[in-house]
Structures are given as structure tokens and as C-alpha cells.
Amino acid sequence: DTGVSQDPRHKITKRGQNVTFRCDPISEHNRLYWYRQTLGQGPEFLTYFQNEAQLEKSRLLSDRFSAERPKGSFSTLEIQRTEQGDSAMYLCASSFYGSNEQFFGPGTRLTVL
Amino acid sequence: AQTVTQSQPEMSVQEAETVTLSCTYDTSENNYYLFWYKQPPSRQMILVIRQEAYKQQNATENRFSVNFQKAAKSFSLKISDSQLGDTAMYFCASRFGNEKLTFGTGTRLTIIP
């Protein structure tokens, strides 16, 4: 399968714990995006990378959130000191520079107890 | 603010019938892109159809077509000859001059056998 992959698919954690999610984009896609989708809502933009550079961050991305894409390939999204309000589906997408189509992964569903 | 609004939380239609999903948006940009994404139950989001704002001709993809009314800032999706596999959440989204996608809240479409 050569689509966008995300790991883990599900994560249950206790409030206050740190969690890290991984996204592997389609190979050769140089843009990578993170979105968050809460129940009954559409996805909301969090941040995006072009190669290893993080070019834009939403104000939704509080100081507890950090994203990296160290070698311009896979990306990680870390949430420190999780809160119940962080419970959501975290979606990753990738695209070619200049393309209008973003290809989405299956998401990581986070539940904070 | 740049927004995308979907006013139909749920819709259902008999198999083989035609259904239209509504979407409106607000932006001051002249150059932007509009999309309809499909999110089947427990599956990843896929692009259904896209429309460039500078093109007057409505986009079509097989059974899917759009009615793009730029002056009214309206972008509806028509699904002809609906099939059971069309059952999904449908999200209207836009790229308003930057890289991120702005999504509506979605319409849950059920195709009834």
C-alpha cells in the first residue's frame, strides 16, 4: 500500500500523559499536513511542512503540541500533558508542492481519560 | 474570516436517485479552490471532486458534479444514480489562497436500498 499511513490507529491515555503519533506520507510528497477532527465536526488545520520546514501553525496548536519532520519524510506530532479536550481524530495528509489534492491517512483516534 | 458552511447535517435518499448536498463559503480572496471530500465509515477521507474558482465551467467526475455559483459563494455537489457505496460523510472544503484546507461541518449521507 503506497498511501499515507499513520501509527497508531488508536491511542487511549490518561490525562497528563504525553503521546506521540507518527505519519508516513506518500513517498516523494514534499508537503505534509496535520489536522484535528472532533466528533461531529470537520477537520481543522493544525500545521504543515514543506520538506523539513514547518511553514504554518494554527493558533489551535498550543504550547503542549509540537510537530516535527526531521528529514522531510515522516512526521511526528507530540502532545504533552494531555487533557480530555485533546480527545479527537488526528489526521495527516500529504501532497506535491503545487498540487491541489491532499491525500489523507486513516487517522489516529486519541482518547484521553 | 474565511468560512465554509454546510447546513444539512444529515440526508438520505433511495438508491439510484439523485441527491444534492449544499455548501456555502465566505472569502475575500479572488483565487481559491473548492473541494468535496468523502469520508466513509471508519475509512479515510478521499477527494471526490474539485473546482478552481477562476473556471466558470462546473466540474464533473462520472456521477458527481458541482454547481458552482461564484457570486453567491455557493458550491453544491450533485450525486446522480446514487449507490450504496456513496453512504458516507461528505465534507465541503476550500483552499483560500494558502495551503491549508478549511472544512465545513459535514453532511452525513445515507443511501437506502
Side-chain angles (χ1 to χ4, degrees), chain B residues 24-68:
Chain B
T24 58
Y25 59 93
D26 190 21
T27 183
S28 56
E29 298 283 341
N30 279 323
N31 191 22
Y32 51 90
Y33 302 86
L34 298 165
F35 309 88
W36 279 97
Y37 277 88
K38 170 184 177 181
Q39 189 176 39
S42 301
R43 295 181 61 187
Q44 59 208 75
M45 197 164 332
I46 57 174
L47 179 65
V48 174
I49 196 166
R50 82 187 97 191
Q51 173 82 42
E52 291 87 348
Y54 62 86
K55 289 188 177 179
Q56 293 185 337
Q57 186 171 7
N58 288 325
T60 62
E61 287 287 343
N62 301 314
R63 298 183 296 108
F64 299 88
S65 61
V66 299
N67 183 5
F68 174 46

Side-chain angles (χ1 to χ4, degrees), chain A residues 35 43 104, chain B residues 3-6 23-25 32-37 45 47 49-51 75 90-96 100-105:
Chain A
Y35 293 85
F104 282 82
Chain B
T3 59
V4 176
T5 303
Q6 293 178 252
C23 174
T24 58
Y25 59 93
Y32 51 90
Y33 302 86
L34 298 165
F35 309 88
W36 279 97
Y37 277 88
M45 197 164 332
L47 179 65
I49 196 166
R50 82 187 97 191
Q51 173 82 42
F75 181 62
Y90 286 81
F91 290 99
C92 180
S94 182
R95 207 184 103 183
F96 296 120
K100 67 182 182 184
L101 293 175
T102 301
F103 287 85
T105 52

Side-chain angles (χ1 to χ4, degrees), chain A:
Chain A
D1 187 285
T2 57
V4 178
S5 61
Q6 294 187 244
D7 184 70
R9 296 289 306 275
H10 303 273
K11 179 70 176 179
I12 299 174
T13 191
K14 293 182 179 179
R15 188 177 55 185
Q17 297 296 304
N18 299 344
V19 294
T20 300
F21 310 141
R22 176 179 170 125
C23 170
D24 286 88
I26 293 171
S27 59
E28 299 177 357
H29 276 190
N30 52 7
R31 290 204 162 168
L32 187 148
Y33 309 80
W34 285 99
Y35 293 85
R36 181 173 68 187
Q37 184 177 19
T38 54
L39 205 59
Q41 300 295 318
E44 296 176 292
F45 171 79
L46 293 178
T47 188
Y48 92 94
F49 294 83
Q50 180 167 310
N51 300 314
E52 66 275 10
Q54 189 173 19
L55 296 187
E56 186 175 349
K57 292 195 297 185
S58 163
R59 54 186 167 79
L60 294 175
L61 214 64
S62 75
D63 291 346
R64 298 184 297 105
F65 287 71
S66 63
E68 295 183 343
R69 195 182 182 200
K71 297 182 180 179
S73 57
F74 72 92
S75 175
T76 58
L77 177 68
E78 181 183 16
I79 309 174
Q80 296 182 328
R81 305 181 303 282
T82 52
E83 301 173 356
Q84 288 184 327
D86 297 331
S87 294
M89 177 76 84
Y90 290 83
L91 298 170
C92 177
S94 69
S95 73
F96 283 116
Y97 171 76
S99 169
N100 289 316
E101 183 169 0
Q102 295 183 17
F103 293 81
F104 282 82
T108 293
R109 181 170 297 282
L110 173 66
T111 302
V112 182
L113 301 176

